[in-house]
Amino acid sequence: MRSCPILLCYLSFIRDLFQGGLNCQLLKLRSTEIQKLNMIGSFMQLHTLNLDFCSSLTSLEKDCFTCMPKLMRLSMCGTRIADLWTTREALSRLHSLTELRFQNCICCKDTGPCLASSNGADSPASVGKLFINQDSLNDSENRVSNHFEGILSSDPSFVATSGRADFQLEVSFGDLHVDGRDECPEYINLKLRDTSVVSKMHLTCHPSPICYEKHYREYLIASLPHLRVLDNFPVKKLDREMANTVFSQYYEYLPYKRRQKENVASVLHMRETGRGNAYHNKSSRIKEAVSCRKSPHFYSRSLCAAKLGSSASPSLHTMSNISNNIKEGSESLRPRQFEYHPTNPSLMAFGTLDGEVVVVNHDAGNIFSYIPLFGVTNSILGLCWLNKNPSKLLAGSDNGSLRLYDINDTLQKAKGSCSSSSPVVFDKFEHLTSLHVNSTDDQFLTSGYSKKVAIYDICSGKRLHLFSDMHQEPINVAKFAHHSPNLLVTSSFDRDVKLWDLRQTPNQPCYTTSSSRGNVMVCFSPDDLYLLVSSVDNEVKQLLSVDGRLQTDFGIASTGSTHNYTRSYYMNGRDYVISGSSDESIVRICCAQTGRRLRDYYLEDRTWESPILVQSLRSDPFRHFHMAVLASYVRPSSKRDIIKVNLLETGQYGDEDSKREDFSSSYVHGG
């Protein structure tokens, strides 16, 4: 297929323009071919930039506006920009920016404040008045209702943020005449039950996806102190005060409540001299120094905050290239489940859809042990390392087979890769989906698409107990506590989470707590103080493990999908929580204690411009702010891969250097 000469000429012109610059004050670009805003040329006089309807533009990179220091007005309506965090990083470098649009008022053509909003409406948060052209008063209500229904049905990201069930619209009409605006004789008073969506719905059109993020307006106002107009609404003093309050309530600017960015070198210097943070006032330095000596984690957390603050987009590395030489022909391994090694920071095990178990050195990029499938192909759905004997790995497949492998007991194959010797085989557990070993390595439990839980003795290989009807629906996940070998928790699609003690006859749980949707998984915090419960469609809560009381509701917006299976895990010990869902391409990071959002990271297949769905994820137990994501590519086929994400190191997406790292076709973007 030949490329169109006109298109190539046009792309060449855009590239030359971005690289060479232009001595102009106003620039309006509208192109569906602009995917990356790499304007590195000189735009020293530019004060107005209009990128409306550049529909292929999905994110703003950290330094994309550094070449235009005088830019005051920026409009990006109808683009695909979705991420608050990368957008904040890019726009924060525009110190002259006063007017910004990601959606436009229905009666405004430029970025300035709407005349209607300046006549009697102090703030968009006050619900306000919407002026539109109508042929008659009788059909006004239907037209407005249809307008908003169209937005709800055509843009799933709005439903993903607010939820259709929580949206309620009331339209009332009255006679109002505005001087100089005879064409708009009616006003529409819109009342929304969810006040967080007022500013994004009641006066705007052509919204970019970022407009549907919860607290979008407050987030940008709090992040951009020089902003005077947002989406044609003036930013008043009351708006800024409210935005700062909302930001502090729902977001973390930097990890561990750091309020200002710091240099890594200065943090290291303070660690050597024993001083606290430089931005603390003199009266608090003595107290800060004392607290530093009391907290062994103070400087490590400070370093993480400094590195995360300087990293606009994380680096990532796919693991598909590690396993290319295992299978013959063009076949590649298809991971289905994975777990980090409990004591060796370099090792990771993953099971495949074809029944193989592979142990890789993910730091060196090579295979440590390869365990081929035995007999009929079955997906590996359960993996668990033993705690006191971490060279042993327990694996369970969807046909119920259970095997214990010793990864050090390997035989060299002719090709130079490693194959495990004969494993220990246990009695089958039908419809298996989950398995877990207790803290003393003497027992493990299994659960699955049934109401049963089985307990096995690891030494003898015998099944000790088979408990029936522990729930009303299938038990998706069952987990032992980290420090008590007799405590376990179960979660089920019947919406219940139950804690059990094997020292008592498990006819009755210690307690039962319920979610509003079916539970996908549950896990203990590393110190067993909390339970992290993940239910269908982004319902994530933290409970006190002692009695099941709610400690934190993370308030992640639902999408309305009953097949959006959410999984969440602890990161950095139990400081943070990472969460991802099977129908979404977002990894969310929240403070475990306050529920405040630290960052969102979006995964996207750049080649096909399609999302990469998050099937599962794990945090690295040895490295702060490192994780791995089990990703499913939507196009061109249902390819699966494990993507390692380092949040503390900036990735170079789209550069030629990234290709040698084997992630040129996918990237993560976040704050």
Side-chain angles (χ1 to χ4, degrees):
M1 180 178 178
R2 294 182 178 181
S3 301
C4 174
I6 298 178
L7 177 60
L8 292 177
C9 182
Y10 172 74
L11 294 177
S12 178
F13 167 76
I14 291 293
R15 183 176 63 252
D16 293 342
L17 174 64
F18 282 4
Q19 293 180 354
L22 199 63
N23 187 22
C24 66
Q25 294 182 335
L26 187 151
L27 179 61
K28 183 175 182 179
L29 294 172
R30 180 179 295 187
S31 171
T32 58
E33 303 300 325
I34 300 177
Q35 299 181 12
K36 181 180 178 182
L37 200 64
N38 51 352
M39 301 175 71
I40 60 176
S42 177
F43 295 88
M44 301 302 293
Q45 303 303 318
L46 189 66
H47 62 66
T48 301
L49 177 62
N50 189 308
L51 299 170
D52 290 348
F53 307 110
C54 292
S55 56
S56 296
L57 186 61
T58 59
S59 66
L60 300 176
E61 303 206 13
K62 183 178 180 179
D63 299 320
C64 64
F65 294 120
T66 54
C67 59
M68 46 191 80
K70 295 183 180 180
L71 190 67
M72 300 174 60
R73 304 173 187 89
L74 177 63
S75 184
M76 291 179 282
C77 305
T79 62
R80 292 175 56 203
I81 295 172
D83 182 29
L84 288 172
W85 287 265
T86 51
T87 302
R88 178 192 68 188
E89 289 294 325
L91 296 180
S92 63
R93 284 152 175 77
L94 290 172
H95 301 295
S96 300
L97 185 68
T98 57
E99 298 178 7
L100 174 66
R101 286 198 316 187
F102 286 100
Q103 55 190 342
N104 64 287
C105 172
I106 202 168
C107 58
C108 294
K109 294 183 179 180
D110 55 30
T111 59
C114 177
L115 295 177
S117 66
S118 62
N119 291 329
D122 289 335
S123 166
S126 64
V127 178
K129 299 167 183 176
L130 169 62
F131 296 87
I132 58 175
N133 291 317
Q134 305 286 355
D135 295 331
S136 66
L137 189 62
N138 294 333
D139 67 342
S140 295
E141 182 173 354
N142 291 333
R143 289 192 60 181
V144 175
S145 298
N146 292 336
H147 171 71
F148 288 116
E149 266 310 306
I151 294 177
L152 287 174
S153 60
S154 64
D155 198 326
S157 61
F158 174 78
V159 181
T161 303
S162 300
R164 180 181 293 270
D166 294 331
F167 179 74
Q168 194 175 61
L169 173 67
E170 298 177 8
V171 184
S172 60
F173 297 87
D175 296 327
L176 181 69
H177 179 78
V178 179
D179 293 338
R181 301 188 66 85
D182 293 336
E183 74 277 11
C184 299
E186 302 92 17
Y187 79 88
I188 302 164
N189 182 21
L190 300 181
K191 300 178 181 178
L192 301 177
R193 178 195 300 173
D194 185 355
T195 57
S196 67
V197 299
V198 171
S199 62
K200 68 185 78 168
M201 290 297 294
H202 76 119
L203 267 178
T204 58
C205 57
H206 308 126
S208 297
I210 192 174
C211 302
Y212 301 119
E213 288 290 335
K214 195 172 185 179
H215 309 302
Y216 145 79
R217 181 175 175 84
E218 292 84 358
Y219 186 94
L220 287 183
I221 292 175
S223 302
L224 305 173
H226 303 292
L227 200 62
R228 297 292 174 262
V229 181
L230 178 59
D231 298 335
N232 296 125
F233 280 107
V235 178
K236 304 289 183 69
K237 181 179 179 181
L238 181 61
D239 297 323
R240 194 164 295 281
E241 291 175 353
M242 181 182 298
N244 291 332
T245 301
V246 170
F247 187 95
S248 63
Q249 181 178 358
Y250 293 102
Y251 299 97
E252 276 194 359
Y253 177 58
L254 289 171
Y256 300 110
K257 301 180 182 179
R258 269 46 175 190
R259 298 189 179 184
Q260 295 187 26
K261 291 185 178 181
E262 296 178 84
N263 185 275
V264 173
S266 66
V267 175
L268 291 173
H269 178 71
M270 286 186 289
R271 185 181 66 178
E272 295 301 320
T273 58
R275 295 189 294 113
N277 289 29
Y279 61 82
H280 283 274
N281 57 41
K282 186 178 296 185
S283 62
S284 65
R285 285 182 180 174
I286 298 177
K287 296 180 180 179
E288 186 67 30
V290 173
S291 65
C292 292
R293 290 193 294 268
K294 291 182 178 179
S295 174
H297 305 294
F298 176 82
Y299 288 110
S300 63
R301 290 173 174 175
S302 297
L303 285 169
C304 285
K307 289 182 179 180
L308 192 66
S310 62
S311 174
S313 300
S315 67
L316 65 154
H317 181 72
T318 61
M319 296 179 59
S320 57
N321 60 326
I322 295 179
S323 55
N324 284 340
N325 60 346
I326 293 296
K327 302 185 75 170
E328 297 181 357
S330 60
E331 287 188 84
S332 60
L333 297 173
R334 300 185 296 162
R336 173 59 179 82
Q337 184 65 275
F338 72 99
E339 295 289 346
Y340 283 97
H341 194 277
T343 59
N344 190 330
S346 299
L347 295 185
M348 174 192 292
F350 66 87
T352 72
L353 291 170
D354 300 315
E356 303 140 314
V357 176
V358 185
V359 180
V360 298
N361 186 322
H362 58 87
D363 287 338
N366 55 42
I367 301 294
F368 184 88
S369 178
Y370 172 69
I371 304 165
L373 59 92
F374 290 86
V376 181
T377 299
N378 292 101
S379 299
I380 301 295
L381 300 185
L383 283 176
C384 190
W385 296 94
L386 269 61
N387 299 291
K388 297 185 178 299
N389 195 351
S391 67
K392 294 186 177 181
L393 176 66
L394 189 65
S397 61
D398 57 2
N399 71 340
S401 64
L402 293 161
R403 299 172 185 266
L404 181 66
Y405 303 96
D406 191 329
I407 63 172
N408 289 330
D409 186 12
T410 57
L411 299 174
Q412 291 293 326
K413 293 174 63 179
K415 290 187 177 182
S417 59
C418 297
S419 175
S420 175
S421 62
S422 300
V424 178
V425 180
F426 300 88
D427 293 340
K428 282 190 174 183
F429 180 85
E430 297 298 331
H431 310 298
L432 179 144
T433 61
S434 170
L435 58 84
H436 197 240
V437 179
N438 69 357
S439 59
T440 53
D441 284 353
D442 57 346
Q443 296 179 1
F444 71 91
L445 60 82
T446 60
S447 63
Y449 292 117
S450 68
K451 305 174 186 178
K452 301 177 181 179
V453 169
I455 306 292
Y456 291 82
D457 182 86
I458 291 182
C459 295
S460 66
K462 296 181 179 179
R463 187 163 63 192
L464 302 178
H465 306 285
L466 182 63
F467 304 119
S468 302
D469 299 322
M470 298 183 79
H471 285 267
Q472 300 301 313
E473 300 262 349
I475 301 170
N476 293 317
V477 171
K479 296 277 189 181
F480 275 112
H482 293 286
H483 302 285
S484 174
N486 297 300
L487 288 180
L488 64 95
V489 63
T490 57
S491 65
S492 168
F493 272 132
D494 66 4
R495 305 184 180 185
D496 286 343
V497 173
K498 299 182 180 183
L499 185 76
W500 309 84
D501 191 337
L502 294 180
R503 291 167 295 191
Q504 305 172 1
T505 304
N507 296 325
Q508 292 293 330
C510 300
Y511 62 78
T512 300
T513 182
S514 299
S515 306
S516 63
R517 308 182 187 114
N519 296 308
V520 178
M521 69 159 294
V522 63
C523 64
F524 284 90
S525 63
D527 55 9
D528 289 339
L529 292 180
Y530 301 102
L531 293 174
L532 186 61
V533 182
S534 306
S535 306
V536 172
D537 204 19
N538 293 325
E539 182 180 340
V540 182
K541 296 180 180 180
Q542 183 173 245
L543 313 176
L544 292 171
S545 60
V546 66
D547 55 13
R549 283 180 297 162
L550 177 66
Q551 195 271 341
T552 307
D553 185 344
F554 294 95
I556 302 174
S558 62
T559 66
S561 170
T562 57
H563 302 288
N564 192 33
Y565 300 116
T566 303
R567 295 170 176 85
S568 306
Y569 288 89
Y570 287 99
M571 182 174 67
N572 299 9
R574 62 170 172 87
D575 295 340
Y576 286 90
V577 167
I578 55 174
S579 182
S581 299
S582 60
D583 279 355
E584 297 182 89
S585 57
I586 308 172
V587 176
R588 301 175 174 91
I589 305 176
C590 304
C591 176
Q593 296 305 308
T594 64
R596 290 196 293 259
R597 191 78 59 84
L598 176 62
R599 298 285 171 92
D600 285 0
Y601 291 99
Y602 291 74
L603 286 81
E604 186 173 359
D605 186 338
R606 174 170 286 179
T607 302
W608 296 92
E609 295 185 11
S610 63
I612 299 175
L613 304 180
V614 180
Q615 302 305 305
S616 188
L617 71 172
R618 300 286 191 279
S619 66
D620 190 321
F622 303 98
R623 303 173 177 94
H624 282 192
F625 293 110
H626 285 62
M627 71 177 81
V629 176
L630 177 61
S632 174
Y633 292 73
V634 177
R635 297 180 183 179
S637 62
S638 56
K639 172 188 172 184
R640 284 173 173 256
D641 208 342
I642 297 175
I643 303 176
K644 291 174 56 182
V645 183
N646 178 1
L647 306 179
L648 304 182
E649 181 179 295
T650 300
Q652 301 295 325
Y653 310 114
D655 295 341
E656 290 298 322
D657 292 342
S658 66
K659 294 181 180 179
R660 66 171 179 264
E661 295 294 332
D662 195 40
F663 51 77
S664 57
S665 65
S666 64
Y667 68 99
V668 177
H669 55 89

